[in-house]
Amino acid sequence: MSGVTPNELSAVATTVKPGLALSLGVGLEYSLKFVRQYKKPFIPIHHMEAHALTVRMIHSVQFPFLVLLVSGGHCLLAVAKGIDDFLLLGQSLDEAPGDTLDKVPRRLSLIKHPECSTLSGGQAIEHLAKQGDRLKFYLKSPMGQHLDCNFSFAGLRNQVTQVIIKKEEGEGVQMGQMLSCANDIAAAVQHTVASHIAKRTHRAILFCKAKGLLPQNNPTLVVSGGVASNQYIRKTLKIVTDATDLTLLCPPSKFCTDNGVMIAWNGIERLREGKGILNHIEHICYEPKASFGTDISGQVKEAAIKIPRLKLKIRD
């Protein structure tokens, strides 16, 4: 417990968008009852903005900076210009990378693997990939012909499903049983996801530099969200930031996944600047779907920046 009494609080911050309707509804209902009872100001929080600003709780990062949010529900690139001012450069057009990294292990039945029974899907992929050879399977990187910063992972998952079906037929293994090449499939999937994210991020960096959206001195890429806990993906992004002279910052893994601390921190940031603080809460409602920042992805597509080839070779 925090040891803080309700009367000691300056305000109450709660996620109101985007997210699962039931979760948002329960949290908001409790919070509104609380602020009415103790007569506290209310600060509604955008879930993705909270992820983007978590790093400022750990590091002294000044605006503007480039942010990559990668999770089970979202994947986007944006320029953070202020605590409530974002320029959206690109986002996933279908599913999020965390969703892909969870569904592939399910299809591989990795929960039956003795080393993965207690791990999440993404953790299982990362663990087995260390023992696998990604070159055993060729997976086409998504959206190679699209010179923008949007993402797509559904097609990759379909590729992997076809590979699994073919190997099951070849090994005489029924669906739900373990494949002998699960490690190699995990390595190929992880690398392809990391490569796709890295390439789109590389283009975003070049676009920001061309448009003067980042400071010339010590420009920063912040990576947050649950998938940012994957060390292979972090190392792949480090290759990109080293090549483009950016500083790569990631919150500690415990703050990458959804957590109450990041919501509280966003509330503190808003309280300090006096932004989004409400004393009248009659019309507050939650939004399962919500836009993020000002969308300039069309400008990125129009710029059609070609990225130089980088050798994305990671040594564990």
Side-chain angles (χ1 to χ4, degrees), residues 21-147:
L22 181 61
S23 300
L24 292 174
V26 170
L28 182 58
E29 182 182 6
Y30 179 86
S31 297
L32 294 183
K33 286 181 180 177
F34 188 93
V35 297
R36 287 190 186 103
Q37 180 180 352
Y38 293 101
K39 296 179 174 55
K40 297 294 179 180
F42 182 67
I43 307 175
I45 301 296
H46 191 300
H47 177 83
M48 303 313 292
E49 291 181 3
H51 269 306
L53 300 182
T54 301
V55 72
R56 284 167 49 89
M57 181 175 64
I58 313 295
H59 301 281
S60 179
V61 186
Q62 301 301 312
F63 296 112
F65 57 85
L66 181 63
V67 60
L68 167 67
L69 302 182
V70 277
S71 68
H74 302 274
C75 187
L76 60 85
L77 280 158
V79 177
K81 298 177 67 181
I83 64 167
D84 59 353
D85 188 4
F86 297 86
L87 298 177
L88 180 65
L89 305 177
Q91 61 187 323
S92 179
L93 302 178
D94 39 60
E95 65 185 51
D99 196 21
T100 302
L101 292 173
D102 277 336
K103 286 177 178 175
V104 170
R106 234 175 280 153
R107 183 60 183 82
L108 284 169
S109 302
L110 293 188
I111 196 169
K112 297 179 181 179
H113 195 291
E115 297 177 17
C116 300
S117 59
T118 61
L119 302 179
S120 68
Q123 290 172 335
I125 288 287
E126 184 174 8
H127 176 71
L128 293 186
K130 294 175 183 177
Q131 308 163 39
D133 181 358
R134 66 177 178 83
L135 298 177
K136 291 285 181 67
F137 295 98
Y138 171 72
L139 297 173
K140 186 178 179 182
S141 186
M143 302 184 72
Q145 302 304 312
H146 297 265
L147 304 183

Side-chain angles (χ1 to χ4, degrees), residues 104-117 124 128 164 167-168 171-183 185:
V104 170
R106 234 175 280 153
R107 183 60 183 82
L108 284 169
S109 302
L110 293 188
I111 196 169
K112 297 179 181 179
H113 195 291
E115 297 177 17
C116 300
S117 59
L128 293 186
I164 293 171
K167 293 304 294 183
E168 286 174 340
E171 293 187 13
V173 170
Q174 292 185 347
M175 182 175 173
Q177 296 179 313
M178 290 286 300
L179 283 171
S180 62
C181 57
N183 293 358
I185 293 175

